[in-house]
Amino acid sequence: MTERHSESLGGSRRLLKLLRDQMKGKGSNQDHLNQIVELIAQDFEAEVCSIYVMRKDQVLELVATKGLKREAVHKTTLRKGEGIVGLVAEQAIPLAVTDAPHHPNFAFRPETGEEPYQSMLGVPIMRNGQVLGIIAVQNLLHRQYEEDEVEALETVAMVLAELVSSEDLVFQEDSEDANKPDRIVGLCLTSGLAVAPAVMHNRGIVISRMTCEDPDAEVNRLLKNVTEMRGSIDDMLERTEIAALGEQREVLETYRMFAADRGWIGRIADAIRNHNLSAEAAVQRAQEDTRKRMSQISDPYLRERLADLDDLSNRLLGHLLGSVHLEKDLPEQFVLVARTMGPAELLDYKGKKLRGVVLEEGSPTAHVALVAQALEIPVLGQCRGVLERVREGDVLVVDAEHDQVLIRPAEAVAESFRSSFKGRRQRWAEISAERELPPVTKDGCRISLNCNAGLLVDLPNVVNSGADGVGLYRTEVPFMVRQSLPGIGEQAELYRKIYSGVEDRRVVFRTLDVGGDKVLPYWSMAAEENPAMGWRAIRIGLDRPALLRQQLRALIRASAGRELSVMFPMVADLSEYRAARDLLEFELNREASIGGELPVSLRLGAMLEVPSLVWQLPEICPHLDFLSIGSNDLLQFFFAADRGNTHLSRRYDTLSLSVIRMLRQIARVCHSNGVDVTVCGDMASHPLEAMALLASGYRSLSMPPLQVAAVKTMVRTLDLETASDFLDNLVLEGTADIRAGLEGYAERFGVNISGR
Ligand code: PEP
Ligand code: MG
């Protein structure tokens, strides 16, 4: 430890004691704050220390300062994102700036007299993931704030959270806006609809004791509660309804493993020892660190791991605070609102009461989404600002299919959603009745509708949807939720279960698409700058042939006596496909040589996800039985727009002229070479996009089971010949807005693209 480091930690401990004494002493909160800024400025050797508090109208107000002009207190305000202080609030992470007046975000506030100060360190004051305020220190000279100084100020900010959140610092009454209806656009993680009042997750977690007198006793208290928590997780996993969850259970098993993570517990114990924090405050401190890391990591899988840790922190806090029994005072029905949530937390709320979940963060691969799917609970993720804009008890409409949550809607609006909800249930009943109806267009063209799946729990839905089969089985999902690489026998057993789950339908197995954002927990891979374009999918399969060969062997064994359909992901070059096919042939020969029963037939395909393959189709087609277009990856590389980046998700239209031209060309070349072609990316699952695909020449689509009915309804109301002619014209004329053109067509010719 450097001298500076130990000094700074020592300083922080001393300061914490002074702050604690100050907060316990007599006087108003304002008096305390005035003293506190003095103490902090002194300890940090800073000329200025200021505290800003976030008001209910989401404006930061300067409430105390040492060093800036006193008359600015309660006058200077900044919106989120405004000024360096506003930026810290917006990003919810610390920010150190050595040349503040020249920082692009510097906001000139003459009343504060802050222009001469060159350096600034701002740290958010957080509680339960919400920014309550900002604490900022400033220095006249250029100063490089060290990492341990940032950490020390963060610890101070934690202690201050208590004072800052107290009622008499709230300067503004509820504004009228706070009662107005609102709407946030998010991302559907699990489809469905729910109308119910909001319950804020973690509402019960209020930490009133931030520091401790005896760190050793506090660490013992922590360990006792960790043991208790582990016991309760074990109990939860033994409960029968969870035991029946199948693969989702494995997600939870991974979570159990996290609960035993020594590094995590060690970090919390260190925070108790180094800063005299209470166990609760130390857990929260570790939790804030995790959240900070989450905000900096784009890899969805790693984010998911960190979300599990966040979930565990909440659980541990519940134990420490004695508030583990969540069920007590919940309303009859409710929608849960949280920053992020782990699968185990969702199960805590499970039962008839929980109707939906709205998350400030969360990705489609989130474990909570996988578990919610099994429980049929709609989940809407990436709802920026939801924690601030929703209050406990507000009525919410979670319309996950349309990626939106309505907050405090007018009663009439809520009612119409309720009745549409009833209508939808009825619709599902009708769908089951309709499931035998053939997906044939009005002019008699039979379309093959298939499902995408990746978990055993998806399979009953495949059957119920009336689909022809599974057009894409993502085999990597079971690999991702296990704690070690499954062996050949275990894999073969799983593939057999898949076959029996779909009864006699066709299943197209995609070989492992790991790497990129799909990390295997037990396999350490070097970090890459651009993982989506890195060492992933077939590239790994060919560089580590043992892995791919084992999987192929397991697939061959599982398909003994029936058809085996296999496709390789992310093929960018004919040579890759041929090398992968050679491995399959090697394994078939091997199996035959030892007298194993072989599949009765073989269908081999490639996924088209990399644009380079579009211009090798004439060469690759003679080697293919089928081609499957992974439009999710294909379009991300086509537009150079990260598919996981929410800022870009609405920037380029899937139905743009360039995409349609490419897709028509692919369909044409495949048809002329007699190769079956399917689209299995997200595009195929929306009725309008699916209509564009059919009109572009596709006759086979694959989508999540719940979308089959909507696409089938479109198919059965479509006259394919006129739609194809119509699209031909749009393309010939170079129409910019193909989407609008096709919507107009559907309306005029009565094609049902409403999804109902
Ligand atoms: C795709 O890229 O469109 C696809 C179906 O594969 P995944 O979404 O699993 O990457
Ligand atoms: Mg893909």
Side-chain angles (χ1 to χ4, degrees):
M1 192 185 283
T2 62
E3 204 181 312
R4 179 152 201 172
H5 184 73
S6 69
E7 227 175 60
S8 143
L9 292 182
S12 160
R13 219 171 12 229
R14 228 179 12 253
L15 176 63
L16 287 183
K17 182 166 176 358
L18 290 173
L19 293 181
R20 208 174 52 208
D21 293 346
Q22 175 60 42
M23 283 158 69
K24 275 197 224 146
K26 286 209 177 88
S28 67
N29 272 347
Q30 185 68 56
D31 296 338
H32 292 318
L33 283 175
N34 293 343
Q35 288 300 318
I36 283 168
V37 287
E38 295 275 348
L39 288 170
I40 298 172
Q42 207 175 10
D43 195 82
F44 280 80
E45 294 172 4
E47 282 83 22
V48 174
C49 172
S50 310
I51 296 178
Y52 295 78
V53 167
M54 185 70 82
R55 302 191 316 206
K56 284 189 178 171
D57 59 356
Q58 294 301 299
V59 168
L60 289 158
E61 178 172 317
L62 177 67
V63 297
T65 184
K66 146 80 183 144
L68 299 184
K69 291 186 189 157
R70 290 278 164 150
E71 52 274 30
V73 173
H74 295 311
K75 285 206 182 62
T76 294
T77 56
L78 290 159
R79 287 189 312 279
K80 257 191 179 180
E82 189 185 13
I84 298 170
V85 164
L87 192 61
V88 175
E90 187 176 66
Q91 297 182 337
I93 49 173
L95 182 65
V97 175
T98 42
D99 187 2
H102 292 104
H103 189 277
N105 249 59
F106 183 75
F108 181 53
R109 288 284 189 275
E111 73 278 10
T112 60
E114 69 177 328
E115 312 82 275
Y117 299 102
Q118 297 297 314
S119 328
M120 176 170 186
L121 167 62
V123 166
I125 302 172
M126 314 267 298
R127 172 184 280 176
N128 288 342
Q130 269 181 277
V131 176
L132 303 179
I134 303 294
I135 175 162
V137 291
Q138 287 173 274
N139 282 81
L140 267 175
L141 300 177
H142 288 284
R143 172 170 167 183
Q144 200 82 41
Y145 298 100
E146 301 288 330
E147 215 175 296
D148 18 299
E149 293 174 315
V150 178
E151 244 187 54
L153 195 60
E154 280 184 286
T155 308
V156 168
M158 275 191 59
V159 174
L160 283 185
E162 209 45 51
L163 189 63
V164 164
S165 61
S166 76
E167 281 303 309
D168 54 341
L169 277 172
V170 175
F171 302 95
Q172 177 134 328
E173 286 311 304
D174 274 353
S175 68
E176 260 183 42
D177 278 356
N179 295 320
K180 282 193 181 147
D182 199 352
R183 170 178 176 266
I184 298 179
V185 173
L187 183 72
C188 172
L189 304 188
T190 307
S191 62
L193 181 67
V195 185
V199 163
M200 308 306 281
H201 180 47
N202 294 340
R203 68 202 169 125
I205 297 179
V206 178
I207 300 174
S208 48
R209 197 174 64 94
M210 300 302 287
T211 50
C212 71
E213 301 292 342
D214 179 352
D216 288 336
E218 201 62 14
V219 169
N220 284 339
R221 192 174 146 249
L222 169 78
L223 297 179
K224 181 175 152 281
N225 279 278
V226 168
T227 310
E228 244 181 66
M229 176 184 78
R230 285 190 196 140
S232 78
I233 294 175
D234 289 346
D235 288 350
M236 183 179 72
L237 283 168
E238 298 320 319
R239 288 208 311 258
T240 43
E241 77 269 24
I242 292 167
L245 274 179
E247 277 169 12
Q248 271 87 347
R249 192 187 142 86
E250 289 178 26
V251 169
L252 294 167
E253 290 285 1
T254 314
Y255 173 87
R256 165 152 60 186
M257 201 172 68
F258 268 96
D261 183 78
R262 292 228 186 95
W264 177 61
I265 317 257
R267 281 194 300 279
I268 301 172
D270 283 350
I272 297 176
R273 291 198 186 99
N274 291 338
H275 301 289
N276 278 33
L277 292 181
S278 67
E280 295 84 332
V283 173
Q284 208 177 44
R285 164 98 214 228
Q287 192 175 22
E288 295 301 348
D289 280 350
T290 309
R291 286 178 181 160
K292 210 161 59 187
R293 277 161 62 202
M294 269 163 80
S295 70
Q296 289 157 356
I297 285 177
S298 60
D299 180 321
Y301 186 76
L302 282 185
R303 282 176 66 92
E304 213 34 58
R305 304 265 57 80
L306 292 175
D308 283 349
L309 267 187
D310 197 60
D311 179 347
L312 269 179
S313 304
N314 288 335
R315 185 170 284 272
L316 184 50
L317 281 176
H319 279 270
L320 286 163
L321 296 165
S323 55
V324 276
H325 302 295
L326 295 154
E327 295 273 334
K328 270 195 314 233
D329 47 346
L330 291 171
E332 208 29 56
Q333 303 187 348
F334 62 92
V335 169
L336 205 55
V337 180
R339 167 178 289 277
T340 162
M341 224 179 154
E345 282 183 304
L346 184 71
L347 288 164
D348 282 337
Y349 288 99
K350 187 191 154 285
K352 290 200 187 78
K353 295 170 164 186
L354 178 58
R355 289 281 175 254
V357 177
V358 181
L359 302 176
E360 175 105 19
E361 297 177 357
S363 69
T365 50
H367 289 157
V368 67
L370 290 180
V371 175
Q373 220 167 35
L375 303 175
E376 294 179 11
I377 294 170
V379 182
L380 191 66
Q382 299 181 10
C383 292
R384 304 279 170 234
V386 72
L387 290 175
E388 280 153 13
R389 285 151 71 177
V390 171
R391 286 159 315 174
E392 180 100 8
D394 282 346
V395 170
L396 301 182
V397 173
V398 184
D399 180 9
E401 256 137 79
H402 298 101
D403 301 306
Q404 58 173 349
V405 55
L406 308 185
I407 304 163
R408 301 178 292 274
E411 180 45 31
V413 175
E415 190 43 44
S416 71
F417 272 96
R418 279 189 204 102
S419 49
S420 123
F421 188 40
K422 281 187 212 130
R424 272 170 56 91
R425 279 215 198 120
Q426 212 173 331
R427 173 82 190 130
W428 273 110
E430 285 163 24
I431 283 168
S432 326
E434 279 172 15
R435 103 175 195 205
E436 305 301 335
L437 293 176
V440 176
T441 62
K442 286 203 311 199
D443 49 344
C445 182
R446 172 68 161 82
I447 307 297
S448 172
L449 297 184
N450 300 279
C451 292
N452 297 345
L455 288 170
L456 292 175
V457 285
D458 294 331
L459 302 178
N461 289 339
V462 172
V463 175
N464 288 336
S465 70
D468 293 315
V470 175
L472 162 66
Y473 199 94
R474 292 180 165 103
T475 57
E476 61 277 5
V477 180
F479 281 74
M480 287 164 66
V481 298
R482 276 174 170 72
Q483 290 167 29
S484 58
L485 197 69
I488 298 175
E490 199 183 341
Q491 284 188 55
E493 190 50 40
L494 175 69
Y495 303 140
R496 275 186 209 107
K497 281 191 189 144
I498 296 169
Y499 275 129
S500 66
V502 295
E503 297 163 12
D504 50 1
R505 290 167 184 80
R506 171 178 282 170
V507 185
V508 177
F509 290 97
R510 172 176 78 185
T511 60
L512 275 182
D513 182 5
V514 291
D517 59 356
K518 296 174 190 160
V519 180
L520 301 180
Y522 38 84
W523 196 9
S524 70
M525 288 170 60
E528 294 184 88
E529 279 207 10
N530 288 306
M533 297 196 284
W535 197 52
R536 60 174 280 204
I538 194 65
R539 298 166 186 182
I540 295 186
L542 295 178
D543 292 353
R544 296 279 181 277
L547 183 72
L548 182 54
R549 276 178 43 199
Q550 283 186 10
Q551 185 179 32
L552 294 171
R553 203 178 302 168
L555 284 167
I556 291 168
R557 289 191 183 158
S559 57
R562 54 183 296 169
E563 176 191 88
L564 173 60
S565 259
V566 178
M567 63 184 179
F568 302 109
M570 285 285 290
V571 175
D573 193 83
L574 169 61
S575 60
E576 290 172 337
Y577 173 77
R578 290 169 78 154
R581 190 197 54 189
D582 288 350
L583 289 179
L584 179 67
E585 271 164 17
F586 180 91
E587 285 304 322
L588 282 167
N589 290 335
R590 185 183 178 284
E591 198 62 22
S593 72
I594 57 168
E597 191 187 353
L598 295 183
V600 287
S601 58
L602 188 65
R603 285 179 80 242
L604 257 194
M607 285 195 74
L608 198 168
E609 301 176 281
V610 183
S612 63
L613 207 62
V614 177
W615 288 274
Q616 295 174 70
L617 286 174
E619 288 71 37
I620 199 171
C621 274
H623 303 275
L624 294 174
D625 294 311
F626 67 95
L627 183 80
S628 188
I629 299 179
S631 55
N632 307 337
D633 273 316
L634 181 62
L635 296 187
Q636 86 162 335
F637 299 126
F638 185 68
F639 285 123
D642 181 350
R643 64 192 257 188
N645 186 328
T646 43
H647 294 299
L648 298 177
S649 56
R650 291 183 177 83
R651 190 173 188 102
Y652 303 105
D653 190 0
T654 327
L655 294 184
S656 66
L657 189 57
S658 54
V659 174
I660 296 294
R661 280 201 174 125
M662 171 172 67
L663 291 172
R664 282 159 50 101
Q665 180 184 332
I666 298 169
R668 228 180 1 251
V669 182
C670 286
H671 292 326
S672 62
N673 281 279
V675 169
D676 291 342
V677 59
T678 307
V679 180
C680 66
D682 184 58
M683 191 178 178
S685 64
H686 305 285
L688 183 70
E689 279 79 349
M691 180 177 102
L693 288 169
L694 300 187
S696 298
Y698 293 85
R699 298 293 175 263
S700 171
L701 305 172
S702 191
M703 64 207 74
L706 290 175
Q707 293 303 114
V708 172
V711 173
K712 182 153 68 169
T713 303
M714 178 279 292
V715 168
R716 292 178 55 83
T717 51
L718 178 75
D719 186 284
L720 189 48
E721 204 177 318
T722 44
S724 308
D725 290 347
F726 185 81
L727 183 62
D728 275 352
N729 275 334
L730 291 182
V731 173
L732 268 178
E733 286 164 9
T735 310
D737 199 346
I738 299 245
R739 177 175 296 277
L742 289 178
E743 275 168 353
Y745 171 85
E747 195 178 341
R748 233 173 315 135
F749 292 91
V751 187
N752 187 341
I753 53 163
S754 70
R756 306 199 304 142

